[in-house]
Amino acid sequence: MCINQPETKSYPNAYRNNNNNNNNNNNNNNAARSRHSRDWLLALPITSCVLKFDDEAVRVAVGTRLALKHCIPPQCRCGSEVDSFGRHSLVCKRTPGRTVRHHHLNDVIARSLASAGVPVSKEPSAFSRSDRKRPDGLTLIPWRAGRSLIWDVTVSSCTTADSYLEASSREAGAAAELAASNKMVKYAGLSSQGEFVPIAVESHGPIYRDALQFLSELGRRLVETTGDV
């Protein structure tokens, strides 16, 4: 008599998926507890300042923050399957939101510096690398210790991306730290021309520590210059 044995080849995949799910949960929990990652919940809903979310934006934001299923899995234009947590849209290079997030944050930083009395130049051509890529901005007067500030924004570091999964599950902000380190290597040649600060922000909220210090200082100077609190 022949007894059919259960298939075992899928066990490693099942174990791997379960392990990834556990790491994703840890990533979300770490990110939710990180400093300033919940500040958006305290923002006043002012439409003119682009601070008012519609109901759908709030639903997706909360679902992403709490690792809840919030969409029916479609197929991305890149051909990849999208899970019901919507994680793929945060890492796919063909997702238009990646560029929008980058440009919006860069514009906010440039306008805030100008409002604080610090003129800036966006994508200064004089600071091009050998591959013609340029940092996002440069202050035209000294920012600190007699040196201009050079910054470059990255908001494409997804907290739950496979490449950051293990590191982010151990420590909040690990994805931002890695993204910032990569930026510093890419623009290492600019250190003699000014103070370079990578503005690395994760999809789930954590911010690179040096970027956080810069944003805090920028906020302080804005208050001093404008009197707004």
Side-chain angles (χ1 to χ4, degrees):
M1 184 171 76
C2 178
I3 300 177
N4 292 328
Q5 296 294 326
E7 294 280 345
T8 59
K9 60 182 180 181
S10 63
Y11 287 4
N13 288 336
Y15 174 79
R16 190 181 302 112
N17 289 337
N18 183 59
N19 189 50
N20 285 345
N21 287 335
N22 289 336
N23 282 341
N24 277 323
N25 289 334
N26 290 337
N27 291 0
N28 280 88
N29 291 336
N30 288 339
R33 290 194 298 265
S34 67
R35 186 183 181 190
H36 296 298
S37 69
R38 63 183 67 87
D39 286 0
W40 64 277
L41 295 167
L42 305 177
L44 297 176
I46 304 174
T47 304
S48 60
C49 295
V50 200
L51 294 177
K52 186 176 181 180
F53 288 177
D54 58 32
D55 291 345
E56 180 63 14
V58 172
R59 185 184 72 83
V60 172
V62 172
T64 300
R65 181 177 176 81
L66 300 180
L68 302 176
K69 295 181 179 180
H70 55 264
C71 67
I72 296 175
Q75 186 168 5
C76 181
R77 66 180 70 181
C78 72
S80 300
E81 291 289 336
V82 180
D83 62 24
S84 357
F85 298 95
R87 298 185 184 116
H88 179 74
S89 63
L90 299 173
V91 298
C92 181
K93 293 183 178 180
R94 299 187 65 180
T95 302
R98 288 165 56 97
T99 303
V100 172
R101 291 194 299 270
H102 174 278
H103 289 336
H104 183 66
L105 178 55
N106 189 43
D107 187 56
V108 168
I109 292 172
R111 287 190 289 109
S112 297
L113 283 166
S115 296
V118 182
V120 301
S121 173
K122 295 174 71 173
E123 298 188 359
S125 57
F127 287 79
S128 297
R129 301 188 316 180
S130 57
D131 58 3
R132 297 186 178 181
K133 289 187 177 180
R134 294 172 287 180
D136 284 322
L138 163 76
T139 62
L140 300 180
I141 61 176
W143 169 255
R144 183 169 57 185
R147 307 184 77 202
S148 292
L149 172 77
I150 306 169
W151 78 87
D152 198 69
V153 171
T154 175
V155 289
S156 58
S157 48
C158 178
T159 306
T160 57
D162 291 341
S163 54
Y164 300 122
L165 196 59
E166 186 176 349
S168 293
S169 66
R170 293 194 303 266
E171 181 182 4
E177 295 286 335
L178 289 171
S181 296
N182 291 335
K183 285 287 186 183
M184 292 175 72
V185 170
K186 290 179 180 179
Y187 290 105
L190 298 181
S191 58
S192 61
Q193 304 179 61
E195 179 182 353
F196 178 71
V197 177
I199 312 297
V201 181
E202 291 184 26
S203 60
H204 288 48
I207 306 172
Y208 173 56
R209 60 181 184 278
D210 287 356
L212 191 56
Q213 292 177 0
F214 160 68
L215 294 173
S216 298
E217 174 63 15
L218 176 55
R220 186 188 67 79
R221 296 196 189 190
L222 269 173
V223 171
E224 288 183 351
T225 304
T226 65
D228 297 334
V229 179

